[in-house]
Amino acid sequence: MLTIAIVLGIFVVKLVDIQVVQADEINADALDKRSIPNLTFGVRGNIVDSDGVTLADSVLRYDVTASPRDVRDFTRYSTTASGVAVETDVTWPEAAAEIAAETGQTAGEVQRIIADKLAADPDSNHAYLARGIDTEAYRALVQLGIPGIYFEAVQSRTYPNGQVAGNLVGFVGSDGAPQAGLEYTENDCLQATNGSETYEKGADGVRIPGSTVTEKQAEDGNELVLTIDRDLQWFTQQAVAEQAQAVGAPWGVATVQEVKTGKLLAVADYPSVDPNDVNLTEEQYRGSRVFNSPYEPGSTFKSVTAAALVDAGLANAGTHVLAPYRFTKDGASLRDSFGHPDLPLTLAGVLAESSNTGISILGERMPTADRFDLITDLGVGQRTEVGFAGEEPGIVPDHTSMDVQTKYATMFGQGLATTAAQVSSIYQTLGNDGVRMPVQLVEGCRTADGEWISQPTGEPRQVISARAADETVHMMETVVTDGHFGDTLVIPGYRVAAKSGTAQVSDGSGAYGSNYLVSMAGVAPAEDPEYVVTISLANPTTMKSSAAAAPVFQKIMSQVLKTYRVPPSSVPSPNLPTTY
Amino acid sequence: MSGNVAHAVPRTGWIGSRTDAVREQARRHIEIVSTRDQRKARPRTVYALLIVGALFAVLMSQLLLSIGLSDGAYAIQGLQQQQRELSRTQQVLTEDLERLSSPQNLAANAQALGMVSNAAPVYLRLSDRAVLGAPVAATADAGAAPLVGNVLLSGVAVAAAGSAAEQSATDDTAASTPPVTGADGIPVTGMGSGAAATDADGVPESGLPTPITR
């Protein structure tokens, strides 16, 4: 009886001790053991083209980590095909070779990582063996069942189309932080928000039902839709690359823009970065020179002067000018690119022959201030609405303080600098009855439900009169039909209006060197322009004139007309006279 | 002991002096009779059993429920594991698909099949079988070297190369069909034919035209 009482008493004391005295401590310990705080990941949004084709995709990659102190020889239990259990002894060097075969390292490298860690700290329990391996390698490594090897899933980006639009899409760093292009500038749209939750698990690691407490919901990023057409982008990049290599140009750019909307359909850079492996490309070519590299546009800018004259009523397509080879006035001296006797040209002929003297003589009719107002209205000197990462505004000299030489030079596109995007926008304005549309590269940011969160805004602006714009387009048709380019600009069945440019490139010390930037910009079909194509090749070595740009312009424009099913021209060209 | 004081005055006719019969009668008359309500309210064994049974049932169902719940936890765990595996597979396949459908790969395969691109924009309008544009034959030099790289395609063989050889070896029908070299007898419209060129989207007015085999 007494014994029972004593035993019971001990139990009671112990019970009180556990349930009351130590209760809080033990509860906390227990909760720690089974409660798991968990970070939940949102997925970064995709970047897609105008048709929804994926240009940048979020994927899971795996970091292979090891606990060096737990790495050792082990016995692998497996079953043969006939069902016989087999035990194989695997030494660490053998295991390292197996790992290396999947991660693309050498067995020595894997062993060295572990050895180095152990040398620094014999109790080391963390080392990265390989980072960012793909799912197949991950699965193979899991199958190997090597002790001391663990995996961490990491968010990563893949760009299935490689260099296609790589210049635009940009890339993220190995830490997932956006570094360039649209990944960088549109990060607000794309980025995901990580969430957090806590749950309790049983001894075998199974989540206890009803124990999950979500502190914060993870949110996926949104989808960024571009105005770019992936296939046209590829074609344009390929065409630019072919021609740049053919004429020995270190870099070249091309754009395709929709006249009626201002949407960019292709923005090609050569060389272009492959966002999957940024290190393959020199740093200076990892962005988009279409936005980031202003250059003196040269004669493609004569269309602006011509349009300004017509708009102001100071000239029309038929205005006569006797264009000399050399023109000097007030200390300014300029000449045409080819020697010739005085040419009786119309304004259209000035464009067709690309006469510097002709455009200077006619351009003088307009007050410089008015001409510069128009140049500014056309968007030169300001970043486009795209706001691309590292975009340059170009350079417009102060017309009140510039010298006489620059006054004339700006009439034919020297002495000021534009980006290719700005040149494209100028031709878009000319093609669109003088209405400048905001330059657009991004269609918008879209949720998974297809709802638009944000879309670029901007107002169309009538920069020059519709009459002046149309007349300028018709004058530019003579460049194709009567210019120096033979058949290389002609697209059978279509009326094409274009203007060439062979701009001298500054040698960096205030003078012009022997390098040229050859270009071509134009619209088609001329009776009702729908698409702008511009192409510029910098510093070509084998062919230093715009004839280098003409065939690729024709090629890209043909592809654009095919891609968008533009029917052949049905209205005959006015065939404006170029001489008198 | 102190009886002398207490019983100094003897009482007469006290109750104890009654006869036994009278006493018996009196006792019967004052017996407490439970009312009908009281009788009804009296606890019954069946109710007790019912309550205990219900309690037991509740406990049992709670036990079963938590067994079911834990079982579900394992099922969920298993399914989530399966889902993870499947989404890994899906990701691998999606990556493959996206990589293979990249324009670089398609162009390489098309070239391996001997296809060349034709730069001239020409359309066939189904409604009146009009050819819009000026057809020109494609030239073989259109197939330039691929200059737009894609590191994801390194190690991906051109799938079309092998099957093209197979195709030409086995497919007699394809080999015996003469290549289409021209469009004789079909009106070619180009510049200047305004009415014909307005509807080049190729929407047939009365379904697809029947192909005529010559």
Side-chain angles (χ1 to χ4, degrees):
Chain A
M1 191 67 176
L2 189 70
T3 330
I4 293 173
I6 290 169
V7 169
L8 208 66
I10 292 170
F11 280 173
V12 167
V13 168
K14 193 70 192 164
L15 187 70
V16 170
D17 183 40
I18 290 172
Q19 290 285 15
V20 181
V21 180
Q22 295 187 44
D24 286 351
E25 201 181 318
I26 292 174
N27 272 341
D29 272 3
L31 192 66
D32 264 4
K33 282 220 171 71
R34 59 180 205 273
S35 167
I36 309 292
N38 192 26
L39 199 61
T40 51
F41 294 101
V43 180
R44 187 173 173 83
N46 287 0
I47 301 178
V48 300
D49 84 343
S50 56
D51 293 330
V53 176
T54 308
L55 299 174
D57 196 2
S58 281
V59 289
L60 276 187
R61 291 286 183 263
Y62 302 87
D63 287 349
V64 187
T65 70
S67 171
R69 66 174 181 203
D70 296 321
V71 164
R72 64 185 110 79
D73 303 347
F74 68 103
T75 307
R76 177 176 294 148
Y77 301 93
S78 56
T79 326
T80 61
S82 51
V84 183
V86 193
E87 290 182 19
T88 333
D89 287 328
V90 184
T91 63
W92 165 237
E94 284 168 2
E98 289 175 347
I99 294 170
E102 296 300 337
T103 59
Q105 293 158 298
T106 66
E109 281 170 350
V110 174
Q111 288 186 60
R112 201 171 314 120
I113 292 169
I114 299 296
D116 288 352
K117 274 279 174 183
L118 284 176
D121 174 16
D123 205 30
S124 166
N125 67 355
H126 190 268
Y128 281 112
L129 290 184
R131 309 195 73 154
I133 63 164
D134 66 14
T135 310
E136 279 160 49
Y138 161 75
R139 283 180 163 166
L141 285 177
V142 169
Q143 280 294 315
L144 292 175
I146 298 167
I149 306 295
Y150 306 95
F151 304 93
E152 289 168 11
V154 286
Q155 298 259 344
S156 182
R157 282 297 245 189
T158 183
Y159 304 88
N161 299 295
Q163 285 185 351
V164 176
N167 53 338
L168 303 174
V169 169
F171 44 87
V172 300
S174 55
D175 57 351
Q179 291 187 336
L182 294 165
E183 291 267 33
Y184 181 76
T185 52
E186 302 292 329
N187 191 42
D188 285 349
C189 168
L190 295 166
Q191 74 176 342
T193 317
N194 289 343
S196 57
E197 60 172 24
T198 315
Y199 64 88
E200 295 172 16
K201 65 166 185 178
D204 50 3
V206 171
R207 193 181 277 231
I208 295 172
S211 69
T212 306
V213 179
T214 305
E215 280 112 32
K216 195 171 154 213
Q217 196 79 41
E219 281 174 41
D220 290 349
N222 298 304
E223 186 175 62
L224 183 70
V225 186
L226 307 188
T227 57
I228 296 295
D229 180 284
R230 191 255 322 242
D231 292 343
L232 188 65
Q233 172 80 17
W234 168 78
F235 185 92
T236 311
Q237 284 187 239
Q238 171 77 20
V240 173
E242 277 175 25
Q243 189 68 2
Q245 292 195 356
V247 300
W251 62 271
V253 294
T255 63
V256 180
Q257 193 180 16
E258 197 172 32
V259 166
K260 304 280 196 289
T261 61
K263 290 177 181 173
L264 290 164
L265 305 170
V267 176
D269 279 276
Y270 165 83
S272 178
V273 67
D274 187 335
N276 294 301
D277 192 350
V278 175
N279 295 327
L280 294 177
T281 310
E282 271 180 69
E283 196 157 353
Q284 59 168 327
Y285 297 121
R286 289 182 194 167
S288 175
R289 283 183 174 259
V290 169
F291 298 103
N292 301 351
S293 289
Y295 52 85
E296 295 179 58
S299 302
T300 50
F301 212 71
K302 283 188 183 126
S303 327
V304 173
T305 309
L309 288 169
V310 178
D311 188 46
L314 298 170
N316 60 43
T319 302
H320 295 178
V321 60
L322 194 63
Y325 168 60
R326 190 176 288 277
F327 170 80
T328 49
K329 191 174 181 187
D330 303 338
S333 170
L334 52 102
R335 57 182 173 82
D336 276 344
S337 60
F338 56 100
H340 60 76
D342 290 0
L343 289 174
L345 297 174
T346 62
L347 180 55
V350 166
L351 293 184
E353 297 292 338
S354 198
S355 167
N356 295 339
T357 57
I359 201 74
S360 298
I361 293 166
L362 289 174
E364 252 191 317
R365 296 183 178 186
M366 190 172 195
T368 309
D370 292 357
R371 187 161 57 84
F372 270 66
D373 281 350
L374 181 67
I375 289 173
T376 310
D377 276 354
L378 282 166
V380 184
Q382 307 138 53
R383 291 179 182 87
T384 66
E385 294 78 358
V386 171
F388 196 78
E391 180 167 353
E392 290 284 338
I395 302 161
V396 180
D398 180 1
H399 64 82
T400 55
S401 60
M402 68 187 181
D403 57 23
V404 185
Q405 183 76 26
T406 310
K407 172 188 155 189
Y408 289 110
T410 50
M411 292 176 191
F412 47 89
Q414 303 274 177
L416 48 72
T418 60
T419 61
Q422 286 169 344
V423 173
S424 183
S425 177
I426 289 169
Y427 279 75
Q428 179 274 322
T429 308
L430 294 175
N432 195 31
D433 295 335
V435 179
R436 183 182 183 279
M437 302 301 290
V439 184
Q440 200 183 341
L441 178 63
V442 171
E443 193 73 56
C445 183
R446 195 162 61 184
T447 65
D449 305 331
E451 198 181 314
W452 293 105
I453 295 176
S454 64
Q455 284 180 288
T457 50
E459 291 298 313
R461 210 151 32 83
Q462 185 86 43
V463 179
I464 45 176
S465 67
R467 192 183 49 80
D470 289 350
E471 196 160 334
T472 309
V473 169
H474 292 150
M475 285 193 276
M476 288 193 293
E477 280 189 72
T478 62
V479 176
V480 178
T481 53
D482 298 37
H484 299 288
F485 303 99
D487 279 345
T488 56
L489 278 176
V490 175
I491 302 173
Y494 291 86
R495 287 170 54 190
V496 179
K499 183 68 195 81
S500 58
T502 308
Q504 284 186 287
V505 177
S506 164
D507 63 3
S509 57
Y512 288 118
S514 60
N515 278 329
Y516 290 89
L517 187 135
V518 301
S519 60
M520 192 63 73
V523 294
E527 72 274 24
D528 181 19
E530 293 196 50
Y531 299 98
V532 183
V533 169
T534 74
I535 158 92
S536 304
L537 300 167
N539 314 339
T541 49
T542 60
M543 192 189 248
K544 297 191 172 201
S545 79
S546 49
V552 64
F553 172 88
Q554 191 263 9
K555 191 173 172 182
I556 294 171
M557 186 60 98
S558 299
Q559 183 69 17
V560 170
L561 296 171
K562 276 196 294 184
T563 302
Y564 295 100
R565 304 282 187 271
V566 179
S569 298
S570 50
V571 184
S573 166
N575 284 325
L576 297 173
T578 56
T579 55
Y580 61 92
Chain B
M1 287 182 277
S2 57
N4 293 346
V5 183
H7 297 285
V9 185
R11 277 185 256 175
T12 55
W14 62 294
I15 197 158
S17 65
R18 291 188 189 173
T19 64
D20 275 3
V22 173
R23 266 207 307 271
E24 186 64 27
Q25 205 177 6
R27 191 188 302 151
R28 216 173 28 239
H29 278 292
I30 64 166
E31 189 183 4
I32 297 169
V33 179
S34 52
T35 62
R36 185 183 292 265
D37 285 345
Q38 275 172 325
R39 274 202 306 277
K40 269 190 179 169
R42 188 176 299 158
R44 289 195 190 151
T45 331
V46 60
Y47 290 140
L49 285 175
L50 208 68
I51 302 268
V52 170
L55 259 174
F56 185 72
V58 166
L59 286 173
M60 277 309 289
S61 55
Q62 202 177 9
L63 184 69
L64 286 173
L65 209 63
S66 60
I67 289 174
L69 214 56
S70 323
D71 202 40
Y74 285 93
I76 288 172
Q77 159 103 346
L79 289 173
Q80 279 176 342
Q81 182 61 35
Q82 202 181 341
Q83 188 196 22
R84 264 197 298 277
E85 275 305 314
L86 289 173
S87 55
R88 276 188 200 125
T89 308
Q90 189 207 16
Q91 186 195 301
V92 170
L93 296 176
T94 307
E95 277 185 63
D96 274 352
L97 178 67
E98 284 178 348
R99 183 171 59 198
L100 293 177
S101 61
S102 68
Q104 293 99 324
N105 188 51
L106 295 182
N109 277 284
Q111 283 188 14
L113 285 168
M115 296 171 81
V116 291
S117 69
N118 189 337
V122 181
Y123 310 99
L124 178 62
R125 186 168 55 206
L126 295 183
S127 60
D128 59 355
R129 291 196 278 162
V131 174
L132 307 177
V136 287
T139 46
D141 66 325
L147 296 173
V148 184
N150 187 351
V151 292
L152 296 182
L153 287 175
S154 59
V156 176
V158 174
S163 59
E166 264 172 48
Q167 188 84 12
S168 58
T170 55
D171 198 343
D172 292 338
T173 332
S176 62
T177 308
V180 180
T181 49
D184 296 341
I186 299 173
V188 176
T189 62
M191 292 174 70
S193 56
T198 48
D199 179 25
D201 279 348
V203 181
E205 281 166 8
S206 54
L208 289 168
T210 315
I212 299 160
T213 313
R214 279 182 255 264

